[in-house]
Amino acid sequence: MSRVVEALRPLGGQLVAVAWSGGADSTALLHGCIEALGAESVVALHVDHGIRIGSEADEAFCAAVAGAVGVGYGAASLELGPGASESVARRHRYRALAD
């Protein structure tokens, strides 16, 4: 984690958005950003693709954790359906994050 924190420190003073699924990798990145920049400089963005049954629980988890750690939070819900490929999901996720 120390390498991540050191790599992020030059971004101090900027608002940084973290695409956050709620999984281990993106949660570690979120916490690294908070450690390096402070919670006030971090916004966590979650996209529910609507691919998996029960995925709305991921969004509820992310919202709760974001509130607990004091970062800004935004979420988008898509209705791609269970047959959507990862490349389709990625394209829609990037569009939602940009919005």
Side-chain angles (χ1 to χ4, degrees):
M1 178 73 87
S2 62
R3 283 184 167 178
V4 171
V5 171
E6 289 307 312
L8 292 167
R9 288 208 195 276
L11 298 175
Q14 298 181 48
L15 185 61
V16 173
V18 176
W20 184 32
S21 68
D25 293 348
S26 60
T27 298
L29 177 61
L30 177 69
H31 285 285
C33 287
I34 293 168
E35 185 177 333
L37 307 170
E40 67 282 350
S41 295
V42 179
V43 176
L45 303 175
H46 178 80
V47 177
D48 178 358
H49 299 92
I51 294 173
R52 224 174 10 85
I53 294 173
S55 61
E56 55 280 340
D58 296 340
E59 195 280 324
F61 167 79
C62 289
V65 172
V69 298
V71 299
Y73 179 72
S77 294
L78 307 174
E79 298 290 332
L80 301 182
S85 70
E86 181 57 37
S87 63
V88 168
R90 183 180 309 109
R91 185 173 55 249
H92 286 276
R93 177 173 62 249
Y94 289 166
R95 190 174 308 132
L97 291 168
D99 289 345

